[in-house]
């Protein structure tokens, strides 16, 4: 699924450039992606877009500390939680965007979520909202933490 998300980010510079889901599914299948992964990715993106649309209409500010319940800590792990806190303190993520990232990570049904996958979630959230991370943050979002080499883009 994450290969599809990265492919979409690279292929469609803006989310509004993406075709409708049925057409997109055919294009992804023609490129060689698995039908099950395509379906999972489209559902995940639909849910992300629904949440990101809500975020656009809300303007809540938070100066408090976010405490993670045990389930969230188990799924995210300490590295992901630290990275989320870093992004929020660097003003890359708002408190509402942070909550969307956490919800989308929990929706993966995977524990712990790797830092690489969390970075793709953040990138897709920003992409879905038409926001582009600055060059320094973009580099950090595309570094593969396992070997510290740049992630290969399709």
């Amino acid at each position: 699924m994450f290969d599809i998300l990265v492919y979409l980010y690279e292929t469609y510079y803006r989310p509004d450039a993406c075709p409708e889901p049925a057409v997109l599914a055919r294009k992804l299948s023609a490129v060689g992606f698995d039908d099950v992964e395509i379906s999972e990715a489209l559902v995940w993106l639909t849910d992300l877009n629904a949440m990101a649309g809500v975020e656009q209409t809300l303007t809540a500010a938070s100066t408090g500390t976010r405490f993670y319940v045990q389930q969230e800590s188990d799924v995210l792990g300490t590295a992901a939680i630290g990275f989320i806190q870093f992004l929020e303190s660097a003003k890359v993520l708002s408190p509402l965007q942070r909550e969307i990232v956490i919800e989308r990570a929990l929706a993966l049904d995977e524990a712990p979520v790797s830092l690489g996958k969390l970075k793709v979630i953040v990138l897709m959230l920003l992409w879905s909202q038409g926001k582009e991370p600055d060059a320094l943050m973009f580099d950090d979002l595309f570094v593969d933490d396992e070997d510290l080499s740049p992630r290969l883009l399709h």
Side-chain angles (χ1 to χ4, degrees), residues 54-152:
V54 170
E55 196 275 336
Q56 297 283 359
T57 63
L58 300 175
T59 55
S62 172
T63 57
T65 301
R66 169 62 154 88
F67 289 96
Y68 294 82
V69 298
Q70 189 64 46
Q71 177 196 11
E72 293 170 335
S73 294
D74 291 345
V75 171
L76 295 172
T78 56
I81 291 173
F83 189 67
I84 291 169
Q85 290 173 334
F86 163 72
L87 292 176
E88 192 174 5
S89 68
K91 305 290 187 221
V92 173
L93 293 179
S94 71
L96 290 169
Q97 289 171 317
R98 173 198 65 213
E99 294 304 314
I100 293 170
V101 167
I102 293 168
E103 190 282 331
R104 292 288 71 212
L106 294 174
L108 294 179
D109 201 25
E110 173 181 325
V113 173
S114 73
L115 192 53
K117 288 182 179 179
L118 182 79
K119 289 178 177 183
V120 173
I121 292 170
V122 170
L123 190 64
M124 292 309 294
L125 170 64
L126 296 174
W127 177 78
S128 72
Q129 295 177 339
K131 299 175 183 172
E132 189 173 326
D134 63 28
L136 211 52
M137 189 55 60
F138 183 82
D139 288 343
D140 196 35
L141 288 172
F142 270 99
V143 169
D144 189 358
D145 299 308
E146 279 74 42
D147 61 4
L148 296 176
S149 63
R151 183 183 316 270
L152 294 177

Side-chain angles (χ1 to χ4, degrees), residues 18-74:
C18 274
E20 294 298 314
V23 174
L24 181 58
R26 285 195 303 276
K27 287 185 176 207
L28 291 171
S29 183
V31 172
F33 288 110
D34 180 62
D35 289 340
V36 172
E37 286 188 351
I38 292 170
S39 178
E40 289 174 358
L42 292 178
V43 167
W44 192 91
L45 276 173
T46 299
D47 293 345
L48 172 67
N49 289 333
M51 294 186 76
V54 170
E55 196 275 336
Q56 297 283 359
T57 63
L58 300 175
T59 55
S62 172
T63 57
T65 301
R66 169 62 154 88
F67 289 96
Y68 294 82
V69 298
Q70 189 64 46
Q71 177 196 11
E72 293 170 335
S73 294
D74 291 345

